[in-house]
Every structure is written in structure tokens, then in C-alpha cells.
Amino acid sequence: MEAPLTHALPPGRAAVLAGLGTFVPPRVVTNEDLSLTMDTSDEWIRTRTGITQRHWADPGTATGDLAVAAGERALKSAGSDAVDLVVLATTTPDHPCPATAPEVASRLGLQNAAAYDIAAVCSGFVYGLASAAGAIAAGIADRVLVIGAETYSTILNPDDRTTSVIFGDGAGAVVLRAGDASEPGALLGHDLGSDGSLKDLIIVPGGGSRQRSAAAAPGAPEPDPADAYFSMQGKPVFRHAVTRMAASSQAMLDRAGWAADSVDWFVGHQANVRILHAVADQLGMPRDRTVVNLDRVGNTSAASIPLALSDAVAAGRITPGDRVLMSAFGGGVTWGSTALVWPDVAAY
């Protein structure tokens, strides 16, 4: 197996976080609400995931709508309405074709900006940061809007309590600008990896060329309607998430030259509070330095890290000068980590 990508940014031109904005749809769905329509309970959900509620989009609201709302707030936070590139991380695009990012850029008034989607599931935001940082380091862009946005409620099987109780909808965005690697807010490097042999652990089986090609074969059975929904193998996902996030986080700490006990805040993908605590334990980091907001928003996939960052900043937990480590694990399977010293940035 080839080594994962672990890179520090070259000296000089670096990607610096300059703005942060988030949005969640107003409709709140509590555990009690779900217990009215499926075989579950508040206690069952809370004890297994730590989640008490999540936000779901109303009918007619799509991922692009959430992305635009979060993008507007990130641009306001950055004090600028101009970027050269928009990177949208999502598993729930508005259409299979075209990508959602160009329309989001257009609706934000970012005329002629380059724009593309990234599909790395729950690792998408971290992958998006790395992609944006590479564009800045290469001189392709001076300012980049990175958005993680999801409407998972549109791909959940209402009969599957193991997935429907976990996921929420939302969007989070940051603006990155070209700056110096030594200033607060500079991304200090990236660790990325994947293992496609585990693709079936987290998957929507239907809707793509694999299913369509198979269905066209002579004598092929009718597609299973359940294949249109998201599915996940919980126990192996838990195990791989802890192992991969811990290893990726340690690689990033080594790259940044940080000891685990010098990190002020670990902001991991908000999938399950037990995963977050297990990763902190493996790193030798106190659990109380782990940012947790999944109890209020659930697992929002690519949106989860920026939503957690925004909540922690708004609560006065993450403050300028704090060392922040971010890590995620998602379908593919994919994983990734990055780190920065938190700048003086307001969250909207």
C-alpha cells in the first residue's frame, strides 16, 4: 500500500483562514420525534451516538441552498465578496450532473470564479481545505471559498433506524486567502488517505453507472428500491474511523511539530461522541479538549467540522492563538487531517 499524502505547505505562500460562516435549516427533529415513526427511543439514540436532535431541510430545499447561505456568511466574516475559486464538498449534490459548486458561485455573485465539487463524504471538508491550499500555494488562486454542505435527509431510508437517527442537514464554509505560513490561521499541512477496498462500508449503491450498467444486462433483476438510500456498516466503520483518524491526526501533529498535550482543541468529524473520545484517548489528549456539537446537529457529513468550529468560536471556547487539530473519516473510505493556530476571525 502506498503511503498516504502527508504534506506541509511550502515556505512563503500559504492558505490562511480569513472567514467562517455556517447555516442549518430551521426545522429541528428531536429523538422523540423520530420515535413516533420508527422503532427507536431517545435513550437508544443518545446512549449509542450522543445525539439528541438534528436539523432537516424542508421539502423543496436542496444542498445548494444551504451552501449559498453558509457561503454568504463566510464572505461576510472575511469582509470580502470576491474569491477566485469555490470548492464545494458534498455527498448530496443538487444533481448528478452538473456539479453544484458553479451554481452556488453564481448565486453568490462570484462571476467567472472557478468552481467544482469534491466527493469524499465525511472527509470532504478536509479534502476541500487541502485542495484549496494547493491552489493558493500554486498561485492558481489568491482567495478560495471552501464549503461543506449536505441534505442527508434526502438519502436516508426512513425504515432504517441505524442511519436515519444519525444524520442531519447543514452547511459550513470558510474563506482562505494567500498569506504567510508563519501567521495565525495558516494551514500547517495536510494528511490525506483512502482505502477503496472498504467502499461498501459507507455507500449509496444505486444511482450511478455501476447500477445502471448492471441493470441493462440481459436477465438482470429489477433494481432494489433500497439501493437509492444511504447505508452504513456501523461496527467496522466505528473501528476504522478511530484507527484512521488517530493515525492521521498523529501524522499531522508530527508534521506541525506539536505534541498532543499542546493542542488546545481537537475538532473531529462529528459522527459519534464515542469515536471522538476514543481518538482523543489514542492521541493521549484530554477528552475535555474535544469539541462536540453533534448532540444538537447530528452527523452533518462534510459540514460537520465547520459547524463544530463555528459553535466553539461562538461559545468562546476556541479563541485566537489556540492550537486546533482537525480530522475526519468518511466513505470511500477516506480520511484526512490538518491543523492551524486559530486567527482572530468572527463566526457568522
Side-chain angles (χ1 to χ4, degrees):
M1 182 187 302
E2 293 185 3
L5 296 176
T6 305
H7 294 307
L9 293 178
R13 188 175 173 93
V16 180
L17 192 147
L20 172 63
T22 60
F23 179 80
V24 292
R27 180 161 64 113
V28 175
V29 179
T30 67
N31 292 347
E32 288 82 0
D33 293 334
L34 294 178
S35 70
L36 298 176
T37 58
M38 63 180 66
D39 182 20
T40 191
S41 67
D42 174 62
E43 181 183 9
W44 190 92
I45 299 169
R46 279 189 297 104
T47 57
R48 287 161 177 78
T49 67
I51 299 168
T52 61
Q53 65 175 45
R54 74 285 297 144
H55 293 253
W56 282 357
D58 288 325
T61 299
T63 294
D65 301 321
L66 306 188
V68 168
E72 288 175 339
R73 295 180 179 185
L75 292 169
K76 179 181 178 181
S77 172
S80 173
D81 58 0
V83 300
D84 307 301
L85 170 64
V86 176
V87 180
L88 174 61
T90 186
T91 312
T92 54
D94 288 3
H95 309 282
C97 173
T100 306
E103 183 183 1
V104 169
S106 177
R107 290 174 61 184
L108 289 170
L110 304 172
Q111 302 300 327
N112 300 318
Y116 55 83
D117 290 1
I118 284 183
V121 197
C122 301
S123 304
F125 183 73
V126 176
Y127 268 60
L129 292 178
S131 176
I136 288 174
I140 296 171
D142 290 325
R143 299 175 70 85
V144 183
L145 176 63
V146 181
I147 308 173
E150 304 284 11
T151 50
Y152 254 70
S153 60
T154 63
I155 60 171
L156 295 176
N157 186 340
D159 296 325
D160 182 5
R161 73 169 184 171
T162 63
T163 58
S164 289
V165 303
I166 296 172
F167 290 91
D169 301 338
V174 298
V175 174
L176 301 179
R177 62 165 175 83
D180 190 88
S182 64
E183 63 180 298
L187 299 180
L188 301 178
H190 311 274
D191 177 82
L192 304 176
S194 73
D195 184 352
S197 70
L198 300 174
K199 68 179 179 65
D200 290 337
L201 295 187
I202 301 171
I203 191 170
V204 177
S209 64
R210 178 72 62 191
Q211 183 198 45
R212 291 173 179 148
S213 178
E222 287 294 317
D224 185 345
D227 285 349
Y229 294 116
F230 175 93
S231 67
M232 180 174 66
Q233 299 177 37
K235 290 183 178 179
V237 166
F238 185 103
R239 183 176 68 255
H240 284 287
V242 173
T243 301
R244 299 298 193 178
M245 286 173 65
S248 180
S249 294
Q250 187 59 60
M252 188 61 239
L253 291 175
D254 294 343
R255 179 64 60 179
W258 293 356
D261 60 7
S262 74
V263 175
D264 295 292
W265 296 106
F266 171 61
V267 185
H269 166 53
Q270 304 288 301
N272 184 306
V273 70
R274 293 186 297 146
I275 290 176
L276 295 172
H277 287 165
V279 173
D281 292 345
Q282 287 205 16
L283 293 173
M285 187 180 300
R287 290 185 176 185
D288 60 8
R289 295 187 192 178
T290 299
V291 172
V292 178
N293 78 331
L294 63 88
D295 56 315
R296 301 182 300 281
V297 297
N299 181 342
T300 56
S301 191
S304 74
I305 286 180
L307 283 171
L309 286 170
S310 181
D311 279 0
V313 170
R317 300 181 72 194
I318 295 180
T319 58
D322 285 352
R323 290 183 170 187
V324 177
L325 171 67
M326 294 175 270
S327 186
F329 175 89
V333 297
T334 58
W335 59 86
S337 301
T338 190
L340 76 163
V341 175
W342 195 254
D344 187 7
V345 169
Y348 285 92

